């Protein structure tokens, strides 16, 4: 048995033996998610079959199947007949905190990168102006880029930032929020709106996803403690790679 599988079985048995009232299938599913987070399991790994997992952990195959169904719904795994259950490259993104995309990726032990598509001054559209509490037609920077995690394209993001908050736009590297902090601007919180729709041609071309996989659309306002709204972003994200987390 592969070393990753040995470690996974150890973690599963330890979690399943814990004295709490959580359903066994949830314990099972959460342990596999944790194994992805801590690097025990990596993108592309194939899990042992349901029968093997059942025998090695002492739980029923129904419990294993329920756990796998839950993980598949969250996008953590992909199951296919004759091939097995494969670990996906999942990126958990917090909707509660405001450290920025790059920092969240780095904290997960992954490598963020960016391909810039646009960095120019435009007249602010009315709907964006409402979010930024400025007047329609005011000048804002439009920052459009493709986001990568471990060299895999995961989203296309458009950010609108009032021109007064950016000096030299060329100084912005991978992280807009790192640039903000270098200018003594500190994002404190975000307000997010999440929806889903079928991908357009641009998204399919850059993400190389199937036509029938929906994309997640995240509209988010970032606030600085002193200045109020400092960024309005619209992110089109791969629904098979992103898991959004928001704790009460």
């Amino acid at each position: 048995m592969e070393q990753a599988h040995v470690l996974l079985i150890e973690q599963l048995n330890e979690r399943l033996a814990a004295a709490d009232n959580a359903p066994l299938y949830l314990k099972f599913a959460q342990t596999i998610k944790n194994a992805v987070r801590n690097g025990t399991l990596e993108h592309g790994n194939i899990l042992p079959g349901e029968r093997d997992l059942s025998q090695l952990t002492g739980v029923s195959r129904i419990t294993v199947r329920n756990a796998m169904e839950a993980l598949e719904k969250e996008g953590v795994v992909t199951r296919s007949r004759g091939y097995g259950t494969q670990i996906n490259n999942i990126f958990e993104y917090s909707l509660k905190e405001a450290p920025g995309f790059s920092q969240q990726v780095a904290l997960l032990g992954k490598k963020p990168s960016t391909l810039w598509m646009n960095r120019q001054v435009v007249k602010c559209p009315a709907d964006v102006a409402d979010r930024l509490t400025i007047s329609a037609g005011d000048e804002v920077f439009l920052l459009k880029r493709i986001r990568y995690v471990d060299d895999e394209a995961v989203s296309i993001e458009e950010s609108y930032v009032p021109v007064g908050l950016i000096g030299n736009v060329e100084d912005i590297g991978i992280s807009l929020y790192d640039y903000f902090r270098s200018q003594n601007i500190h994002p404190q919180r975000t307000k997010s709106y999440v929806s889903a729709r079928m991908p357009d041609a641009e998204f399919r071309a850059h993400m190389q996803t199937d036509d029938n996989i929906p994309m997640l659309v995240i509209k988010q306002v970032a606030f600085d403690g002193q200045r109020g709204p400092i960024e309005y972003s619209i992110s089109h994200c791969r629904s098979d790679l992103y898991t959004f987390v928001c704790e009460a």
Side-chain angles (χ1 to χ4, degrees), residues 16 20-28 63:
L16 292 168
D20 58 57
N21 295 323
L24 288 178
Y25 85 94
L26 287 181
K27 289 184 178 183
F28 205 103
T63 295

Side-chain angles (χ1 to χ4, degrees), residues 43 55 130 214 222:
H43 174 51
Q55 293 175 346
D130 287 342

Side-chain angles (χ1 to χ4, degrees), residues 147-200:
R147 297 287 207 170
Y148 295 82
V149 175
D150 289 342
D151 299 322
E152 184 169 11
V154 298
S155 63
I156 300 175
E157 179 181 305
E158 293 181 359
S159 293
Y160 295 86
V161 180
V163 290
L165 300 182
I166 295 177
N168 184 355
V169 72
E170 299 298 327
D171 289 339
I172 302 174
I174 292 177
S175 172
L176 171 62
Y177 283 18
D178 280 351
Y179 174 82
F180 276 155
R181 285 184 278 266
S182 74
Q183 304 300 306
N184 201 31
I185 301 170
H186 300 282
Q188 297 292 322
R189 63 184 180 89
T190 59
K191 186 174 183 179
S192 306
Y193 308 82
V194 182
S195 60
R197 71 168 186 250
M198 298 310 295
D200 56 21

Side-chain angles (χ1 to χ4, degrees), residues 86-151:
Q86 184 179 40
I87 297 296
N88 291 328
N89 189 15
I90 294 298
F91 168 50
E92 286 196 354
Y93 188 86
S94 173
L95 294 176
K96 180 182 179 182
E97 301 173 354
F101 173 91
S102 300
Q103 186 173 342
Q104 290 203 45
V105 172
L107 288 172
L108 292 172
K110 300 177 182 292
K111 184 184 75 172
S113 55
T114 292
L115 174 63
W116 287 100
M117 303 173 71
N118 196 348
R119 286 188 279 189
Q120 67 177 12
V121 175
V122 300
K123 300 295 184 181
C124 190
D127 58 332
V128 175
D130 287 342
R131 301 294 187 187
L132 292 174
T133 63
I134 60 177
S135 299
D138 283 356
E139 290 188 337
V140 292
F141 274 104
L142 168 59
L143 310 174
K144 185 173 182 178
R145 51 206 164 155
I146 302 174
R147 297 287 207 170
Y148 295 82
V149 175
D150 289 342
D151 299 322

Side-chain angles (χ1 to χ4, degrees), residues 24-88:
L24 288 178
Y25 85 94
L26 287 181
K27 289 184 178 183
F28 205 103
Q30 188 61 53
T31 302
I32 290 178
K33 287 177 65 176
N34 289 338
V36 175
R37 290 193 191 102
N38 63 33
T40 299
L41 297 174
E42 298 180 349
H43 174 51
N45 284 167
I46 303 297
L47 293 176
E50 289 182 4
R51 178 181 298 174
D52 291 336
L53 287 171
S54 173
Q55 293 175 346
L56 291 167
T57 60
V59 301
S60 69
R61 288 189 67 175
I62 293 176
T63 295
V64 176
R65 187 173 298 118
N66 288 341
M68 294 304 161
E69 288 176 354
L71 290 169
E72 187 173 36
K73 287 180 180 178
E74 292 188 47
V76 178
V77 302
T78 297
R79 298 189 297 168
S80 58
R81 188 179 298 275
Y83 187 67
T85 301
Q86 184 179 40
I87 297 296
N88 291 328

